[in-house]
Amino acid sequence: MRKPIIAANWKMNKTVQEGKSFSTLLPADTSLYQEVEVVICPPFTALQAVGEELKGKGIKLGGQNLYPMEKGAFTGEVSPLMLQDLGCTYVILGHSERRHLLGEKDEFINQKVKAAFAFDLLPILCLGETLEQRQKGATEEVCHQQLQGSLKDIEAQDVAQMVIAYEPVWAIGTGVHARPADAEKTIACLRQVISKEWGEEIGAAVRIQYGGSVKPENIREFMSCANIDGALVGGASLKADSFYQIVRGAREGSE
Ligand code: 13P
């Protein structure tokens, strides 16, 4: 049985004060957070403050990116050591906004995945097709390529621990979510690719989220799909109330 996981990707939103007030408003529902793993990924500038505010609530902290070196002359970058130092458990890697706005390629993402594991950070590896690729019928091919390129030479036991987030680019921030049955089909294929590459046991263990316009109103339907283990939430994670509704919906939907 895979434990559901809901992660908040705040992207480039929230000052320190705003991050703190979100954390204060989020109910201290520790029994819920034991059943559904909850991760908050604030911008780097708010990581420490949010981490302190969330202490004792049973909620984990994640970074939104890293540079694949421990330290050095990399102006403007943040290292896995720094994320570990602030108490991060997870790190989002390969998000479509970084792939498309900043030109990140699978090879570079693969270096980041390796760097994350080297510092005991669990990657939430994002992948997904654009609308054009979907219309061409290339969804599965694109997702498989991104998966294999980003996870090249990663050990089976590491793959089993990490999280994959299938986020179709056309569903991100648009209010148009994928049909749960379509997301389930793509995610089931990704699980098969993982089983083939790293073994059945790993394919059965790895958690795969759906992301793209997830809201309190649609989370249950996604969670009721056999292969969908959670969600990576952008816009609807910015308000404590709607994010909490999503976490509750995830528990109900996966029952
Ligand atoms: P939205 O939930 O705003 O569509 O964003 C999804 C996303 O990109 C999460 O990483």
Side-chain angles (χ1 to χ4, degrees):
M1 194 46 191
R2 295 181 297 266
K3 190 176 191 173
I5 177 164
I6 302 291
N9 177 7
W10 286 356
K11 308 190 180 185
M12 200 175 70
N13 291 291
K14 293 198 188 295
T15 60
V16 167
Q17 210 44 55
E18 288 165 347
K20 279 167 116 174
S21 65
F22 172 101
S23 312
T24 314
L25 288 170
L26 196 63
D29 195 340
T30 38
S31 69
L32 173 62
Y33 309 142
Q34 264 165 20
E35 286 176 60
V36 178
E37 194 172 349
V38 178
V39 187
I40 311 271
C41 304
F44 293 138
T45 47
L47 266 173
Q48 183 171 21
V50 169
E52 268 160 28
E53 210 66 43
L54 290 176
K55 259 189 199 137
K57 277 195 176 173
I59 292 175
K60 301 198 173 129
L61 197 62
Q64 294 179 18
N65 183 34
L66 59 72
Y67 189 79
M69 294 297 276
E70 180 180 330
K71 59 182 171 184
F74 305 100
T75 303
E77 296 296 324
V78 168
S79 86
L81 174 67
M82 294 165 181
L83 295 180
Q84 188 191 50
D85 187 40
L86 290 178
C88 290
T89 309
Y90 287 92
V91 60
I92 296 172
L93 296 175
H95 192 278
S96 85
E97 284 143 21
R98 300 202 64 86
R99 289 179 187 266
H100 298 286
L101 298 173
L102 297 157
E104 285 193 10
K105 300 273 180 288
D106 290 330
E107 203 185 341
F108 188 40
I109 297 163
N110 181 236
Q111 291 173 21
K112 296 184 182 207
V113 170
K114 289 175 181 162
F117 282 120
F119 288 86
D120 295 324
L121 297 165
L122 296 173
I124 299 177
L125 173 70
C126 304
L127 46 84
E129 82 287 0
T130 61
L131 185 58
E132 199 189 347
Q133 289 164 334
R134 182 168 198 85
Q135 285 165 342
K136 276 198 224 146
T139 297
E140 283 166 19
E141 187 192 328
V142 167
C143 292
H144 295 179
Q145 269 174 13
Q146 290 177 346
L147 181 81
Q148 280 169 323
S150 308
L151 295 186
K152 192 166 175 284
D153 301 327
I154 303 298
E155 303 283 342
Q157 72 265 22
D158 286 340
V159 176
Q161 298 294 315
M162 66 181 291
V163 176
I164 314 272
Y166 167 59
E167 300 203 299
V169 178
W170 48 270
I172 295 178
T174 58
V176 182
H177 60 84
R179 287 203 311 234
D182 290 342
E184 165 69 6
K185 186 165 165 268
T186 307
I187 289 176
C189 285
L190 285 169
R191 203 177 286 291
Q192 273 176 10
V193 173
I194 293 168
S195 296
K196 263 201 205 133
E197 189 89 22
W198 289 277
E200 289 288 334
E201 223 177 283
I202 310 301
V206 66
R207 290 180 296 173
I208 311 183
Q209 299 173 314
Y210 165 77
S213 300
V214 169
K215 298 192 176 60
E217 300 78 44
N218 58 33
I219 185 66
R220 285 172 190 76
E221 209 185 333
F222 283 109
M223 293 306 292
S224 66
C225 299
N227 283 285
I228 301 182
D229 304 313
L232 183 55
V233 189
S237 76
L238 294 173
K239 291 221 164 75
D241 179 50
S242 70
F243 185 64
Y244 180 62
Q245 293 308 321
I246 289 173
V247 179
R248 286 178 53 139
R251 174 170 65 184
E252 285 165 29
S254 61
E255 272 165 6

